Amino acid sequence: MSIAGISELAAELRRIVGPDGVLSAAGEMLVYECDGFVVEKDTPDVVVFPRTTEHVRQIVLLCRRRQVPFVPRGAGTGLAGGSLPVGGGVLIVLTRMREIVEINLRDRYAVVQPGVVNVKLTERLRGTGFHYAPDPSSQGSCTIGGNVATNSGGPHTLKYGVTVNHVLGLEAVMADGTVCEFGGPSEDLPGLDLTGALVGSEGTLVVVTKVWVRLTRDAQSVRTMLGIFESCDDATAAISDIIAAGIIPAALEMMDHGILEALEQAFHFGFPLDAQAILIIEVDGLEAGLDAQRERITAICQAHHAREVRHANGPAERIALWKARKQAFGAVGRISPSYCTQDGVVPRTRLPHMLRKITEITARHGVRAVNVFHAGDGNLHPIVLFDEKNADEMRRALDASNEILDECLACGGSVSGEHGIGIEKIDFMPKMFTADDLDAMSRLRQAFNSEGLLSPKKMLPTAGACSAERSHPGRRAAV
């Protein structure tokens, strides 16, 4: 787009959202050149901050009239490049749509705008006896709209499910500017489950402007444990046996020695640095029976050579453990200037194999990986470390990452558990799905987004195109 064209577009957007709702200076665009997937960068032409559904509707109509691509974005915490404005265009940042519109405890739902930070709803519900279950590790910064886009999970996914299990309905602006509602506060409406189709569509079908979320009653009691292991094999074997014993923990998280080092450097939580792995295990439910579950889990961990199983004594110790877990990704910055977080899924019994393969693959490529992941549901998050200023090291890191994902597929798994496909894993889609599968997905996208202006070149491969082919000049660092 020409400089004059950008200026005209920005002026029209200011008439919609006001003078303080548009950014277009080149320096300001750098903030929005990537999300948490820092490998690929591309700047938008204009960034706009709507406050209402009507703002979004008018922005979409303007983009359609001018045939300018547009991409919705939440807080930018995504890890697959889903909010990257490939080829430029208008970035619709929804963080000013952050109102908790309604909380209805009697009917167990809340209505929120997409820019509400996940933890803000948790805080608002504290003391009511209810909570919103999806709690991604980035809960303190990610938005519920972003969670809807990627169908986020989190540590408590093992028992409570992912975002789609907690979304009752959506209000959205279609790619042609029409405002529609899908589902609503009532459970299980008849007809096609379009709400289910939209959750996890990564902003390629509609721009979500309101979300009805299900509220879950708080558990009566909870027990939280920390298992300390001398080897990753022992820790992963304990995970399989806990599930095989018929226990469904609320959460079952694993961190390896590398991530413990990073956490200790950053926050000094007091984790044993000579341990090779730790498990954070949590069970919840009725008070009766929880102590028995805790003792059984302790015995299983000890049977797999756990050096120690600590029990959290009270809410303060439990909160400290979860604080450590949820700050793990942030701590990685202490040990590496850049990193790429993978999101593969394998059957739980394949976890020991995958952890050994990750070590082997990264060593062969001359890079290092640390691991923190949702062990209970086999959702691996190997964090491959590199320096993006070192082009050769970054290439080796990406080669290792791709090989890890290939191995996940070879194990019968998936390349994404909760981060989405974005642009990062678009080339893996033909490996996971048949041509007929991809054609069906493309036709669904065509039905919602016929002109292809909404989030182009994301999620689904385009015939003959590379994953991040550029359509006009712009800044692109890294690769």
Side-chain angles (χ1 to χ4, degrees):
M1 189 181 300
S2 67
I3 293 175
I6 292 172
S7 180
E8 289 174 9
L9 178 61
E12 290 194 71
L13 289 168
R14 287 191 179 94
R15 282 194 282 274
I16 296 172
V17 300
D20 66 340
V22 177
L23 299 176
S24 60
E28 295 169 331
M29 296 301 98
L30 295 181
V31 177
Y32 301 94
E33 66 180 3
C34 69
D35 56 15
F37 181 61
V38 300
V39 173
E40 292 283 353
K41 296 182 173 71
D42 207 341
T43 52
D45 293 311
V46 184
V47 177
V48 61
F49 300 86
R51 294 182 183 275
T52 66
T53 299
E54 177 59 19
H55 282 169
V56 176
R57 188 184 74 83
Q58 291 188 43
I59 292 165
V60 169
L61 287 173
L62 172 61
C63 290
R64 189 180 183 213
R65 176 163 55 81
R66 296 179 68 104
Q67 289 293 288
V68 174
F70 54 98
V71 179
R73 169 178 161 135
T77 59
L79 293 167
S83 61
L84 187 76
V86 180
V90 174
L91 195 63
I92 304 175
V93 179
L94 297 160
T95 50
R96 292 185 185 177
M97 295 181 69
R98 53 178 179 260
E99 183 184 355
I100 297 174
V101 179
E102 179 186 1
I103 290 180
N104 187 325
L105 298 179
R106 189 174 181 84
D107 292 323
R108 300 189 182 186
Y109 72 84
V111 185
V112 302
Q113 289 186 313
V116 170
V117 173
N118 182 299
V119 77
K120 294 298 182 185
L121 183 56
T122 299
E123 292 170 352
R124 183 76 170 271
L125 289 166
R126 188 166 294 140
T128 66
F130 291 87
H131 69 286
Y132 175 57
D135 63 337
S137 300
S138 56
Q139 184 182 25
S141 52
C142 66
T143 62
I144 290 179
N147 300 162
V148 169
T150 59
N151 194 20
S152 299
H156 292 85
T157 293
L158 178 60
K159 181 173 181 178
Y160 291 99
V162 291
T163 297
V164 73
N165 304 118
H166 300 274
V167 173
L168 295 167
L170 301 168
E171 176 193 84
V173 176
M174 311 288 284
D176 66 357
T178 306
V179 178
C180 292
E181 287 187 5
F182 304 88
S186 299
E187 300 268 359
D188 299 326
L189 296 176
L192 296 174
D193 181 14
L194 292 176
T195 304
L198 295 177
V199 176
S201 62
E202 304 187 29
T204 63
L205 303 183
V206 297
V207 182
V208 171
T209 51
K210 194 183 292 182
V211 189
W212 283 261
V213 299
R214 176 181 287 111
L215 302 182
T216 301
R217 188 178 288 280
D218 293 348
Q220 186 183 68
S221 293
V222 60
R223 302 287 188 275
T224 307
M225 293 148 271
L226 176 69
I228 301 170
F229 292 83
E230 306 289 357
S231 78
C232 290
D233 279 1
D234 285 340
T236 51
I239 292 164
S240 292
D241 277 4
I242 289 168
I243 303 295
I247 301 169
I248 304 297
L252 185 40
E253 300 284 297
M254 179 169 162
M255 296 192 280
D256 73 2
H257 177 260
I259 205 74
L260 293 179
E261 277 189 333
L263 274 169
E264 283 305 300
Q265 283 189 33
F267 304 113
H268 312 294
F269 284 116
F271 288 119
L273 290 179
D274 57 343
Q276 292 304 304
I278 66 165
L279 295 181
I280 299 176
I281 311 162
E282 187 162 279
V283 290
D284 66 6
L286 297 174
E287 173 66 22
L290 280 187
D291 283 340
Q293 284 192 36
R294 182 178 62 185
E295 295 313 312
R296 194 168 182 195
I297 288 170
T298 300
I300 291 171
C301 290
Q302 289 170 340
H304 288 283
H305 316 296
R307 178 202 305 177
E308 183 182 1
V309 181
R310 300 177 186 172
H311 299 168
N313 293 312
E317 288 191 14
R318 174 179 181 254
I319 290 170
L321 272 178
W322 283 115
K323 182 179 179 183
R325 166 61 185 88
K326 296 199 172 188
Q327 292 186 335
F329 283 94
V332 175
R334 293 297 184 106
I335 59 174
S336 178
S338 312
Y339 58 87
C340 179
T341 306
Q342 289 304 335
D343 183 33
V345 183
V346 295
R348 272 190 300 270
T349 56
R350 303 293 284 167
L351 284 175
H353 166 78
M354 275 307 306
L355 289 175
R356 286 192 290 270
K357 287 297 289 188
I358 290 168
T359 301
E360 175 203 322
I361 290 168
T362 51
R364 181 157 32 81
H365 287 278
V367 292
R368 182 186 174 206
V370 297
N371 293 280
V372 51
F373 59 98
H374 310 308
D377 46 353
N379 187 186
L380 290 153
H381 290 322
I383 304 170
V384 183
L385 312 178
F386 63 94
D387 183 347
E388 69 175 300
K389 295 177 182 175
N390 182 334
D392 177 63
E393 185 177 65
M394 190 169 73
R395 178 190 55 76
R396 286 184 278 112
L398 295 178
D399 288 345
S401 296
N402 290 339
E403 198 170 326
I404 290 168
L405 292 179
D406 279 330
E407 187 64 26
C408 288
L409 291 178
C411 289
S414 163
V415 298
S416 180
E418 56 176 345
H419 297 171
I421 300 299
I423 59 167
E424 179 198 17
K425 287 169 282 194
I426 199 166
D427 293 336
F428 282 88
M429 292 296 273
K431 298 180 181 180
M432 280 192 66
F433 298 102
T434 67
D436 287 344
D437 292 336
L438 293 173
D439 180 60
M441 294 183 209
S442 294
R443 283 188 280 125
L444 177 66
R445 178 151 76 181
Q446 179 73 14
F448 278 87
N449 182 13
S450 61
E451 295 178 301
L453 294 175
L454 174 54
S455 296
K457 299 177 182 176
K458 303 284 179 57
M459 198 174 177
L460 297 178
T462 303
C466 297
S467 56
E469 186 181 21
R470 296 173 61 75
S471 61
H472 78 259
R475 179 172 181 266
R476 182 178 181 178
V479 174

